[in-house]
Amino acid sequence: MATSRPAPGVAGRALAYLESAKNLTGSACALGGLALTLTGFAGTYWPVVVAGLYGAGALVAPPTRPPAPEFPDPSSRLDALRADVTTLREYLDQVDLPPAATERLGSLTELLDGLLAPGWVSQALADDPEAVHVLARAVHRDLPEAVDAYVRTRWWTRLAPGQQDPEEQLERQLALLHGEAEELVAGLREAEEIHQRTHTRYLEDRGTT
């Protein structure tokens, strides 16, 4: 004959309640009720007194608070992004690019290195999730796709010249990405300028009080 088993988690919930602040506080109050009983203050109603004190203690105890989830620190994402930039640079070093594109690409990677350099600059970047997203998108998708599309299109163009120059398209794409990175830098700079002006106003207002 099959025997019924407690539902999964019942024992765990029971043990959690035994260790909870509500049970501990209620038990402490109930012990106080027993002490009153032993001294004769509770009389024949001691079970009611003990139960009532336990319930009162359980009610006033703070509720069980589950631990808040812990998420990775934003700076840890930048650590991974630095490693990805190194991988990207190793890939780019293997590609034969036209001089103009190479120069534009070098300027762009310098911007990336400056933004990701460990220190207060990268900390300012980490505090802006949208900026991190833009930077990660450029490293993970936009730059590799631009260069790879150039390599593939250039091969087909050598077999059968097309209407568009792949070198020109690559330079336009890199210029757009460079402009996007410059806008990101400008946004971070503006945030610092706002912070500086806010501190100035705070000092001015404090001086007038």
Side-chain angles (χ1 to χ4, degrees), residues 78 114-126 188:
L78 294 187
L115 287 168
L116 291 172
W120 66 269
V121 175
S122 60
Q123 184 59 52
L125 177 66
L188 294 173

Side-chain angles (χ1 to χ4, degrees), residues 26-27 29-35 37 42 45-56:
S27 298
C29 292
L31 289 174
L34 288 175
T37 299
Y45 298 100
W46 69 267
V48 178
V49 172
V50 171
L53 288 174
Y54 176 87

Side-chain angles (χ1 to χ4, degrees), residues 7 11 25 29 35 37 44 61 103 176 186:
T25 305
C29 292
T37 299
T44 58
E103 181 179 355
L176 291 170

Side-chain angles (χ1 to χ4, degrees), residues 118-192:
W120 66 269
V121 175
S122 60
Q123 184 59 52
L125 177 66
D127 292 338
D128 189 338
E130 180 60 27
V132 175
H133 169 71
V134 171
L135 205 60
R137 183 179 60 192
V139 172
H140 295 154
R141 187 184 67 189
D142 294 338
L143 268 172
E145 173 62 22
V147 174
D148 187 59
Y150 162 74
V151 172
R152 288 183 281 113
T153 306
R154 181 183 60 178
W155 186 85
W156 287 108
T157 302
R158 288 174 177 174
L159 293 181
Q163 297 179 352
Q164 294 184 340
D165 183 3
E167 285 80 4
E168 180 183 350
Q169 292 296 314
L170 175 62
E171 291 173 19
R172 289 179 58 187
Q173 292 171 3
L174 293 178
L176 291 170
L177 290 173
H178 190 274
E180 192 174 64
E182 288 181 327
E183 289 180 2
L184 193 154
V185 172
L188 294 173
R189 184 198 65 230
E190 182 180 2
E192 293 294 346

Side-chain angles (χ1 to χ4, degrees), residues 67-77:
E70 295 183 2
F71 298 105
D73 188 86
S75 59
S76 64
R77 186 178 181 187

